[in-house]
Amino acid sequence: MNIKFKKSYRFAVKSALYISVFSAVMLSALLYFTNAFSTGTVLLFFIILLVFSFFVLQYRVEHFIYRRVKKIYDDISLLEASPLRSKRITTDMATLTRELEKFARDKKMEIEALKIKEEYRREFLGNVSHELKTPLFTVQGYLLTLLDGAMNDKTLRKKYLQRAEKGVERLTYIVQDLDMITKLEVGDLNLHFTKFNILELIQSVFDLLEMKADKKGIMLMFDGKYLRPIMVYADQEKIQQVVTNLIVNSIKYGKENGTTEVSIEDLVNNKIIVRVKDNGEGIEKKNIPRLFERFYRVDKSGARTEGGSGLGLSIVKHIIEAHDEKIYVESTFKQGSEFSFTLEKSK
Ligand code: ADP
């Protein structure tokens, strides 16, 4: 962009005028009082003029630049309560240029971040409607078939109502997951750190999911006997959600009559690692990097009976990262997977 600057003579004209008027007055006074044009007079005149010009120019320049710079600051501050404002206004051009460059850089980064957010929002909305559409149409299909006459057939009626119910159930947990992920992503996740026994928490998740696991003949177990409590410092409710999601997945993608084994090991730096291991379908290498993305599912066809919203693992990752901990996955296709995460031990 070519900006045209208007050349201004006002500053120079005014400054020259001040100095000339002063010199004329000075000269007249000197001539009048000394009545002679000696070397001493010239020297005196020179020194006085020098000092005066120095102060006039210094004052004028400062004042002139200050006024213009202040205007720039004010204009920028109008755009946003920028951090520039809190700083002292400077008449030093190099500092000002640096500050303006920094301001421009910050703005550019802000715009980039906004663009990414916008893209993310668009993608998120697209995914949400896509996810909701499938179960919604299923429910609608069954209800319409029932209304079209199937409800007169007692066995069909029950079957279709049950299927419609399944669709509603799926819609419910998609909405619940969405609610959770929205909270997680706006950073609304107020973690309540407490000290608790992770073994007890895992056992209670085992108890809750026993029926689900039984349906597939999957055994939920620890890898060995843990005789002493393992106390950790974390948000108990959120960690329960993590363990639940991982164990639910191990059941969903586990093989019939398989096992889900949980182990806890000490790590350095006062940490422990919890591993959830199954011997199910496993995950192909190429799909592993994307597992934790929102809505990502290995099998997108929907043909599979199992499968949730595709948000489970991304919820897990958010929670673990909010704790400043790490999550890992290892998997061999057709053999099984292991998801593990670290936690801080309580002293
Ligand atoms: P979903 O709701 O589809 O289970 P998740 O975010 O929990 O979504 O998981 C994403 C995908 O990761 C799943 O669709 C599945 O393909 C794969 N996955 C997750 N856990 C396992 C596991 N234990 N074994 C094999 N695949 C898994």
Side-chain angles (χ1 to χ4, degrees):
M1 199 178 24
N2 245 339
I3 306 169
K4 276 207 171 145
F5 286 102
K6 207 176 87 206
K7 206 165 168 179
S8 160
Y9 299 100
R10 225 172 62 202
F11 173 78
V13 167
K14 263 191 169 179
S15 306
L17 200 68
Y18 289 150
I19 294 170
S20 315
V21 168
F22 179 81
S23 333
V25 172
M26 263 302 292
L27 197 60
S28 317
L30 276 175
L31 286 177
Y32 179 78
F33 288 115
T34 54
N35 228 346
F37 208 75
S38 67
T39 328
T41 323
V42 172
L43 202 66
L44 187 65
F45 177 71
F46 173 77
I47 292 168
I48 293 173
L49 190 59
L50 185 77
V51 173
F52 177 75
S53 321
F54 171 80
F55 282 113
V56 164
L57 285 174
Q58 180 64 23
Y59 174 78
R60 290 275 300 144
V61 165
E62 269 190 14
H63 208 67
F64 181 82
I65 293 177
Y66 180 87
R67 267 204 338 255
R68 269 152 186 76
V69 168
K70 185 162 182 333
K71 191 168 172 339
I72 298 173
Y73 274 92
D74 287 347
D75 288 349
I76 288 172
S77 311
L78 266 185
L79 288 175
E80 198 191 323
S82 90
L84 281 182
R85 209 176 194 163
S86 55
K87 285 189 201 147
R88 215 170 57 85
I89 291 176
T90 177
T91 48
D92 162 15
M93 279 297 148
T95 317
L96 177 71
T97 314
R98 233 182 295 125
E99 282 189 8
L100 279 179
E101 274 170 3
K102 186 177 170 299
F103 180 77
R105 251 197 327 271
D106 288 352
K107 283 285 154 220
K108 207 171 161 203
M109 267 159 63
E110 221 172 88
I111 291 168
E112 291 297 316
L114 282 174
K115 272 189 195 156
I116 293 171
K117 264 198 195 149
E118 175 59 20
E119 173 71 32
Y120 173 92
R121 199 183 63 88
R122 222 177 304 134
E123 194 191 301
F124 187 74
L125 279 178
N127 279 330
V128 169
S129 53
H130 176 80
E131 287 304 318
L132 293 177
K133 249 186 321 203
T134 324
L136 204 58
F137 288 167
T138 314
V139 175
Q140 192 185 34
Y142 284 118
L143 292 180
L144 285 177
T145 322
L146 280 166
L147 285 173
D148 276 352
M151 65 179 172
N152 298 323
D153 181 327
K154 222 174 154 196
T155 43
L156 272 187
R157 183 167 63 203
K158 187 155 184 211
K159 197 163 113 190
Y160 286 4
L161 278 175
Q162 275 168 342
R163 288 193 186 164
E165 211 283 313
K166 266 246 166 308
V168 174
E169 193 185 297
R170 194 166 148 71
L171 277 174
T172 315
Y173 66 60
I174 291 175
V175 172
Q176 277 168 353
D177 278 0
L178 277 173
D179 194 37
M180 179 83 174
I181 203 112
T182 314
K183 279 199 189 122
L184 290 165
E185 292 191 352
V186 293
D188 227 7
L189 188 74
N190 290 321
L191 294 179
H192 299 293
F193 279 82
T194 52
K195 190 174 148 177
F196 62 91
N197 182 1
I198 186 79
L199 289 172
E200 240 171 51
L201 181 140
I202 295 167
Q203 186 57 55
S204 76
V205 176
F206 278 172
D207 296 344
L208 280 170
L209 296 174
E210 200 177 80
M211 253 175 33
K212 199 177 172 66
D214 274 353
K215 278 192 194 153
K216 264 181 106 170
I218 289 179
M219 198 145 89
L220 306 177
M221 58 186 205
F222 283 106
D223 68 325
K225 271 222 167 329
Y226 291 90
L227 299 170
R228 273 198 232 138
I230 300 175
M231 303 305 288
V232 293
Y233 189 64
D235 184 315
Q236 185 166 355
E237 210 179 292
K238 301 286 182 314
I239 296 301
Q240 169 138 2
Q241 169 96 55
V242 168
V243 175
T244 308
N245 286 10
L246 294 181
I247 297 182
V248 164
N249 277 355
S250 79
I251 301 171
K252 281 198 299 199
Y253 309 110
K255 68 165 184 212
E256 300 259 338
N257 304 317
T259 50
T260 293
E261 198 178 88
V262 177
S263 67
I264 300 155
E265 263 171 59
D266 274 327
L267 285 182
V268 283
N269 291 339
N270 208 33
K271 301 252 180 212
I272 56 153
I273 184 158
V274 180
R275 300 179 201 274
V276 179
K277 192 172 165 185
D278 65 61
N279 49 8
E281 63 186 57
I283 306 152
E284 277 180 277
K285 239 196 175 72
K286 64 170 198 271
N287 294 319
I288 290 184
R290 302 197 55 193
L291 281 191
F292 295 100
E293 283 176 23
R294 278 174 294 112
F295 299 109
Y296 185 77
R297 274 202 233 116
V298 172
D299 180 357
K300 293 175 197 65
S301 66
R304 194 168 57 183
T305 48
E306 299 292 4
S309 57
L311 292 171
L313 285 180
S314 90
I315 290 175
V316 164
K317 188 165 185 263
H318 269 298
I319 295 177
I320 294 299
E321 285 181 352
H323 279 80
D324 254 337
E325 299 292 346
K326 295 224 154 22
I327 172 124
Y328 307 97
V329 53
E330 270 174 47
S331 187
T332 315
F333 191 45
K334 290 196 169 36
Q335 282 187 26
S337 320
E338 181 185 286
F339 287 84
S340 52
F341 60 93
T342 57
L343 277 181
E344 192 176 313
K345 258 202 290 190
S346 168
K347 275 154 231 162

